[in-house]
Amino acid sequence: MERCGAVVSCVFAVILVLQLGLTPIMAQQEQQIGIAGKEVILSCKAINNQKDGTCTWKYKYKEVSSTIISFSKAQVFKGKAPMTHRSELNSNSKKLKVSDLSLDDAGIYTCACYSPVVSISLHVFKLTISSNGHFLTNEDLELTLMQNSSHSQPHLSIKLFNINNDIVTTEILQEEAPQKYILKLKQLKAIDSGTWMCHVYSNSPSINQNISFDVKVLGFEKERLEIIYTTVGNTAILSWRLNFRKIKWKEGFTGKLNWEPQGNTAIHELLNFSVTTHQELHKTKKSNHIWFEISEGKTDGTMEVKIPKVQLNHSGQYKCQLEINGRRTESVRALVVMQVTAIPAGPLSRGGKMTLLCQVSGPLPSNAHLLWERVNGTQMEMKKSKQHEAKVEVNVSAPGLWNCHLVEDNNKKISLNYTVEEAHVWNSYAVIGIIIGASVLVIGLACMCIITGMRWQRRRKRARRMAQAKQYLLEKKTCQCQRRMYK
């Protein structure tokens, strides 16, 4: 019995010694995160500063193991692992750098540099951005996040941060989770251009990883509808500032400027333009309309047209459109023109009346109206247009200064004045004198015409009588000559 007890004790002692001795040389496994398309550096720790020793990196995935690279006595030997051609070994630190990672590079990487053996579990994420990160305004962004590792993939918590580091609410599709997640963000704006961050989190295994990606949204610095107010005869400038230089857009694209007249469904192409890969902007006038000019000399990517003398029929919507690979976006400028006319035109005669007409191009929204008011006048001398009506009339019977305002949400957007002048008294006398003089002249001319006509008729009668007398004398003379011949 004592011998058996001694044998058992020896066995336990041997097992304990073996366990204590083998612990330092057993593989020590740690986890590292890699991003597809980028590089990862795997460290071979505890190499005991033996720079001239043999060091071998191996790769294992699903029980299949292969050598990546081996270093021995300043010589490097390449293995047959899938990432061998993308791998580099630092001869001093024995660190392994794998470039251009792919999902298939996930697995167990072991570094054997004497002892102990270092084992690293590489967990690879792949983030794919729709349209390669290049969008037009109002397009939707779609992110696809995939993961791969030698162990079972964990369920992830994903958050998206914009360029201002604010959390953005997205729609997350998890039909293929945990291997694949799809995030959707609707209607990007030009201000969304920049570097975004996708935050990936998991409790088990512990993952807390940020993945950055770039977003470029081609469009206009002012995307919303902009209304430009002006009056007849003034100069209007319509401009669109493109952001292709600001976001360093490298692809070429085209565009055009269309004009849709107010109250007319016809669309006129005024000009087109193109931007090269070198960010050069070229403009070409397409329309035969001569009333607008293309502004040149703009170096900041601004598309601008000028209308020197605006008329009422120049109003409407001007749409600047960008196009790339069949995708389009546009920005609209609406030109609203005001005009004031008087019926009848000219100074107001004493005791007379005049109608002042104020109108703008196109119907007005419900929060806008036209207002006539007399300067230094009373409340009774104000006239407001009806809802949605684009004109207002006021009857004037006294001289003075009148202003017409386009009011929107109690804000005066544009105003135009008209001065009603009184006709001077001497002007009235002059007009009466001219009328009397003209009447006398007409009567005199009529009398002269009558007298001349009567004289002409008398002369005609006298000439007729003389002709008859001559004819009579001629016939009588002929008769007498015949009688003499017969005798």
Side-chain angles (χ1 to χ4, degrees), residues 455-471:
R455 288 179 179 176
W456 180 76
Q457 287 181 357
R458 289 174 182 173
R459 289 178 181 175
R460 188 175 181 185
K461 288 180 179 181
R462 187 180 302 168
R464 190 182 302 165
R465 289 174 183 173
M466 289 179 68
Q468 290 176 353
K470 288 180 180 181
Q471 183 67 26

Side-chain angles (χ1 to χ4, degrees), residues 173-191:
L173 306 181
Q174 305 187 43
E175 286 82 357
E176 302 180 50
Q179 289 82 13
K180 183 178 181 180
Y181 298 83
I182 298 177
L183 291 77
K184 290 187 176 182
L185 180 63
K186 296 184 179 296
Q187 292 189 332
L188 290 172
K189 303 300 179 184
I191 58 175

Side-chain angles (χ1 to χ4, degrees), residues 249-294:
W249 185 274
K250 299 299 183 182
E251 300 180 22
F253 64 92
T254 59
K256 58 185 176 181
L257 177 62
N258 292 332
W259 171 50
E260 184 176 338
Q262 184 65 42
N264 194 337
T265 57
I267 297 177
H268 305 272
E269 184 178 346
L270 300 182
L271 62 90
N272 60 27
F273 58 91
S274 62
V275 176
T276 66
T277 54
H278 300 292
Q279 298 186 354
E280 297 174 351
L281 179 61
H282 301 284
K283 310 170 190 176
T284 305
K285 192 171 183 178
K286 298 292 291 184
S287 174
N288 56 1
H289 295 291
I290 61 174
W291 43 262
F292 80 96
E293 302 173 359
I294 302 177

Side-chain angles (χ1 to χ4, degrees), residues 290-307:
I290 61 174
W291 43 262
F292 80 96
E293 302 173 359
I294 302 177
S295 299
E296 301 292 347
K298 297 289 183 179
T299 60
D300 57 350
T302 298
M303 177 63 59
E304 183 177 285
V305 295
K306 181 172 68 172
I307 306 175

Side-chain angles (χ1 to χ4, degrees), residues 40 63 279 283 321 371 420 434:
V40 65
E63 306 305 326
Q279 298 186 354
K283 310 170 190 176
Q321 186 180 93
L371 177 65
V420 178
I434 292 172

Side-chain angles (χ1 to χ4, degrees), residues 59 66-69 77-85:
Y59 167 73
S66 56
T67 300
I68 304 173
I69 197 167
F77 302 94
K78 295 280 188 175
K80 295 183 178 181
M83 70 292 299
T84 297
H85 64 287

